[in-house]
Amino acid sequence: MPRDPQSAASPPPFAATPTGDEAGPSAAVPVPVEEVMTLRIALDQDLVGEVRTRFRYDPERPYEVLLTFHLGRADEADWVFSRELLRDGLRGLSGQGDVKLWPAYCPCHGSTLHLALESPYGSALLEVSKPRVKAWLDRTYRCVSEAAEAVAGPTDDQLAALLKG
């Protein structure tokens, strides 16, 4: 079966090279880190389906990851949650409320990550390759480190203004 071109890993960020008389060091232009993965979804007690899902990380929004389900279909759905939640879910049970993640081992599929999603419209239990998600997540941390993420957030004054309305 031919490889889906959308499932290819994103190229690493690249640095622009000055030309002509321009001076100064080249600066890396952060680009989003994307990868399309096929997740297994529990449809019924004994029925499993597949859903193509894009994992996307935008360095301009360093705290979050975006998962887009049902790529190219009318019922495409986005879920946004913290990169930290995903990181912690690779290690153990993480999350509460509408997003929960935890690692598991399946004899058929090996090391997996389970995602339990709930919304007013329903719930879903999904499973994906843990090594593949970890490799993608590692690429996001090469793009924006955990330390850089910590200083990229809003200031206390900005948060207070936001909460004040």
Side-chain angles (χ1 to χ4, degrees), residues 58-156:
D58 186 343
E60 298 294 320
R61 303 178 73 123
Y63 290 105
E64 65 186 44
V65 294
L66 169 70
L67 273 57
T68 303
F69 297 95
H70 304 290
L71 297 177
R73 292 178 25 182
D75 63 344
E76 198 169 88
D78 290 336
W79 280 78
V80 178
F81 51 91
S82 76
R83 182 167 67 154
E84 179 182 34
L85 181 75
L86 181 58
R87 182 201 65 206
D88 292 348
L90 289 168
R91 299 176 185 155
L93 179 60
S94 177
Q96 56 186 339
D98 58 353
V99 178
K100 294 181 187 83
L101 306 141
W102 66 94
Y105 180 81
C106 170
C108 300
H109 301 109
S111 185
T112 62
L113 174 67
H114 285 214
L115 295 88
L117 306 175
E118 293 193 33
S119 80
Y121 306 103
S123 61
L125 177 60
L126 301 125
E127 178 184 69
V128 64
S129 165
K130 179 181 169 187
R132 193 157 173 203
V133 172
K134 182 172 182 337
W136 175 83
L137 189 61
D138 289 346
R139 288 177 35 226
T140 74
Y141 281 111
R142 284 193 298 274
C143 188
V144 176
S145 69
E146 202 169 343
E149 175 187 309
V151 297
T155 65
D156 288 342

Side-chain angles (χ1 to χ4, degrees), residues 15-27:
T17 304
T19 58
D21 293 335
E22 297 173 34
S26 62

